[in-house]
Amino acid sequence: MHILDLPRELVDSILYYSILARDLRRALRLQLVCSKPNSHAFVSRHLLTATESFRAVFKPMLYRTRLLDSIYYIHDFAHWGHRRHYGADVLWHDYLVFRSRNARDEPDTYFGELWTVFHAFYQYCQSSPIAFSMSQDEILDRICWLVLDGAGVVGWLGWDREDRDPPNPGQDLLSVASYFGCKPLVRDLLDQGLDPAMEYHLFPPAMYIAAFTGQADMLCLVQGHLPDYEAKRHRKHRSGQIWYSWRSKIGPWSLYGAARRGDMDMVRLALNPPMCSTQTSIEVGGATDAEAGGDQEIKPDSKSMLGRQPGSVPPSSELGDFIRRAMGHARSPEIYQYLLSFLDPANADPEPKHHELARMAARGHTTMVRHLLDLGANPTHPKTNKGTALLHAVRGSHLDTVDLLLARGADPSAMGWERLRTPLTAAAQAGSMVMLRKLLDAGAALRLTGKQIFTLRQAVRREHTAMVELLLDLGVGTDYGRGSPSRRPRRRGWSRWRSFCRRGARGTRGKS
């Protein structure tokens, strides 16, 4: 008897408590247990339909548990909008839609605020004389995609909200109106004094959105409501420290969005707004700023901000830091080289390419990874963002990026940061047998200083039977506990450990 043959209420109850009894990752593996059968000729259409129906029933029960509410770690959602995804973005998008629709009576929660902004924009569209063809569901769907695009830029699902500014629906509404290209509403909100360069609670700034979506008219509109330059402002960081930001017609947010879009015309528009009021050149920080202890304000003119001669901007200045950050958003070598050309090569840090390589590899941008390697970036540099580029590419399951790095000489056994240890451990954490075998074929060391026990542990946690058996057969874990005489396992103890590993992953036998 198939589980879907039971009454729907009983099926929902079984799945709901089964998911709660497991952690999130193990709960998601329930979909693998009931995954689509192998496409052999004898597989009936009934089984395929049952599998698809199971997934349709599973997701609402997963969302009802609200286990996803607790996932808001920085390392999981940093630069989320820049990454390549393999279904995780769809899962999160559907969850945002589900939770927002059920948060109408929870105005003080994150999802309640999201619903409030959506409802305010929908009400405006209904009362506006400008025809708006999208339905209510389509508007909410697109707004939730906007949230995902901004995840990592403005935070995620309640990050230390007590350290942030109080909710401002008008500020969030400005971002939504910019996203949909609703110029009358944008003008009204700007005339009310709202800031298009302020990264706020739910969405990226309006400047970022206009540049990222390629709306040149909208970008010019918001640039016209910004000063040529406004000095540093004090903002409270979530850690309690005070950090500074500046704003101008030139950014900084518009350049980030244009670089991420990969549109050179938008990059030039972001850097050279057409409505500038002065003609003086930008002042950049150098030795004078260092001697002043960093207190001297930089006052660039927006029109000529990048009207300087190529190679004249010190990388350590405020403008230089702005350009280097924008380079980290670039998705095309053309834009990357255009921005790089403004930095003074005499004062350049010799190591940034290695760090940028790790970031691009983590996002799965193979084109940029190839370009940085061609520029001389070291794929196994030991200080690349707490791990090598290969380790980050493996963790993101970017097969083409991994192939490129291995072909360019990346060390498959290079040690990473404390949590991931090695690329093999990252492959086990991702639950990818293809990635694990690829690293083994490339010569990854299985018993590197006894640390590969963490690889086996990750495979057990993922309940990946085939991976556990492969690692055990290759001898991973045989030196477990040999760090000191008091921890040396007895022969019977090793037998128990091996038996435990096999039992721990037996639940998904044959479904890897």
Side-chain angles (χ1 to χ4, degrees):
M1 182 177 182
H2 197 278
I3 184 174
L4 296 179
D5 293 332
L6 298 172
R8 178 59 185 271
E9 294 79 6
L10 183 57
V11 173
D12 289 349
S13 181
I14 291 173
L15 286 177
Y16 179 80
Y17 289 105
S18 297
I19 294 170
L20 282 178
R22 307 160 69 91
D23 58 32
L24 179 60
R25 294 181 185 270
R26 292 176 64 235
L28 289 173
R29 284 191 65 84
L30 287 174
Q31 294 187 99
L32 294 180
V33 175
C34 297
S35 62
K36 188 174 182 179
N38 297 329
S39 56
H40 297 300
F42 60 84
V43 175
S44 67
R45 179 60 189 169
H46 171 73
L47 290 178
L48 295 178
T49 304
T51 299
E52 296 166 359
S53 300
F54 178 81
R55 291 183 175 180
V57 174
F58 174 82
K59 276 191 174 181
M61 292 303 103
L62 172 64
Y63 297 160
R64 275 186 54 190
T65 63
R66 300 192 179 184
L67 290 176
L68 292 172
D69 281 8
S70 62
I71 307 298
Y72 50 85
Y73 299 108
I74 294 176
H75 60 264
D76 286 334
F77 291 98
H79 303 289
W80 173 266
H82 297 263
R83 299 182 187 176
R84 289 171 56 192
H85 300 287
Y86 307 96
D89 52 344
V90 177
L91 175 72
W92 278 106
H93 171 266
D94 293 347
Y95 183 62
L96 287 171
V97 173
F98 176 89
R99 289 285 281 112
S100 300
R101 285 175 176 166
N102 292 275
R104 305 181 187 187
D105 299 328
E106 305 173 18
D108 296 332
T109 66
Y110 178 95
F111 298 101
E113 293 172 16
L114 181 60
W115 174 264
T116 300
V117 174
F118 153 73
H119 186 67
F121 181 72
Y122 180 71
Q123 291 293 107
Y124 175 84
C125 293
Q126 293 295 307
S127 60
S128 174
I130 300 178
F132 209 74
S133 59
M134 285 189 292
S135 66
Q136 185 177 18
D137 291 340
E138 290 173 331
I139 294 174
L140 180 59
D141 181 88
R142 289 192 57 185
I143 286 178
C144 289
W145 281 120
L146 177 59
V147 173
L148 285 178
D149 285 335
V153 175
V154 293
W156 182 261
L157 302 190
W159 275 359
D160 299 329
R161 292 177 59 192
E162 63 275 7
D163 288 340
R164 293 185 173 273
D165 296 331
N168 187 340
Q171 193 71 47
D172 292 322
L173 185 60
L174 175 62
S175 296
V176 172
S178 302
Y179 184 61
F180 285 94
C182 189
K183 292 183 182 179
L185 180 56
V186 170
R187 289 193 185 95
D188 292 343
L189 294 172
L190 291 174
D191 292 340
Q192 295 174 21
L194 296 176
D195 188 353
M198 175 77 73
E199 90 257 33
Y200 210 70
H201 186 51
L202 298 175
F203 310 104
M207 280 188 79
Y208 178 96
I209 294 172
F212 174 65
T213 55
Q215 302 180 66
D217 293 342
M218 183 65 70
L219 180 58
C220 291
L221 173 61
V222 297
Q223 286 174 334
H225 284 74
L226 288 170
D228 285 351
Y229 178 80
E230 183 177 283
K232 299 174 181 178
R233 297 174 295 171
H234 297 279
R235 294 289 305 281
K236 187 175 182 181
H237 190 265
R238 62 185 184 84
S239 65
Q241 299 176 352
I242 300 297
W243 60 281
Y244 307 91
S245 61
W246 54 273
R247 67 173 188 159
S248 167
K249 287 183 172 65
I250 50 83
W253 287 103
S254 57
L255 182 57
Y256 299 158
R260 181 187 165 195
R261 178 178 175 80
D263 187 338
M264 182 62 76
D265 292 336
M266 290 301 299
V267 170
R268 292 193 174 98
L269 178 61
L271 294 174
N272 298 282
M275 68 293 293
C276 307
S277 59
T278 57
Q279 300 293 329
T280 58
S281 63
I282 184 173
E283 298 294 335
V284 296
T288 305
D289 282 344
E291 295 169 359
D295 294 330
Q296 179 177 349
E297 291 183 356
I298 301 170
K299 298 182 178 180
D301 170 78
S302 56
K303 181 175 182 179
S304 55
M305 180 173 186
L306 289 183
R308 298 175 57 88
Q309 294 297 321
S312 61
V313 179
S316 59
S317 65
E318 185 174 28
L319 175 58
D321 180 67
F322 168 50
I323 295 174
R324 287 190 291 108
R325 288 177 181 271
M327 290 166 59
H329 292 264
R331 288 198 173 188
S332 72
E334 181 187 9
I335 292 177
Y336 182 89
Q337 288 301 121
Y338 175 74
L339 297 174
L340 179 63
S341 67
F342 291 97
L343 300 179
D344 182 3
N347 298 320
D349 185 349
E351 294 191 355
K353 290 192 296 294
H354 312 313
H355 296 274
E356 291 166 3
L357 180 66
R359 287 193 291 268
M360 294 298 179
R363 301 170 190 174
H365 295 173
T366 307
T367 302
M368 285 302 304
V369 170
R370 181 179 291 106
H371 180 67
L372 292 171
L373 289 172
D374 292 340
L375 292 177
N378 184 358
T380 53
H381 192 273
K383 296 181 180 179
T384 50
N385 194 23
K386 297 185 178 179
T388 64
L390 178 62
L391 187 148
H392 288 283
V394 170
R395 184 171 183 247
S397 300
H398 307 307
L399 284 171
D400 50 351
T401 306
V402 171
D403 287 336
L404 175 61
L405 290 170
L406 290 175
R408 293 296 188 94
D411 183 5
S413 301
M415 294 293 292
W417 58 313
E418 184 69 16
R419 186 182 178 200
L420 293 181
R421 306 290 180 169
T422 66
L424 280 177
T425 307
Q429 186 181 46
S432 174
M433 276 289 286
V434 174
M435 198 76 71
L436 188 74
R437 292 186 182 277
K438 188 181 295 292
L439 293 171
L440 292 174
D441 293 341
L446 276 170
R447 299 176 66 182
L448 181 66
T449 64
K451 300 298 184 181
Q452 291 304 337
I453 189 64
F454 295 99
T455 303
L456 181 60
R457 184 177 298 171
Q458 292 294 340
V460 172
R461 288 177 175 174
R462 300 298 173 270
E463 300 179 345
H464 204 309
T465 305
M467 186 179 292
V468 170
E469 291 182 343
L470 173 63
L471 293 173
L472 289 175
D473 292 341
L474 292 175
V476 175
T478 56
D479 56 353
Y480 175 64
R482 293 183 181 178
S484 63
S486 61
R487 294 188 61 191
R488 289 174 183 167
R490 301 175 183 176
R491 294 173 59 187
R492 184 172 56 184
W494 161 241
S495 177
R496 289 177 178 174
W497 166 249
R498 186 182 181 93
S499 176
F500 165 76
C501 290
R502 292 190 184 277
R503 290 198 311 271
R506 193 170 294 163
T508 57
R509 182 179 298 276
K511 301 296 182 182
S512 304

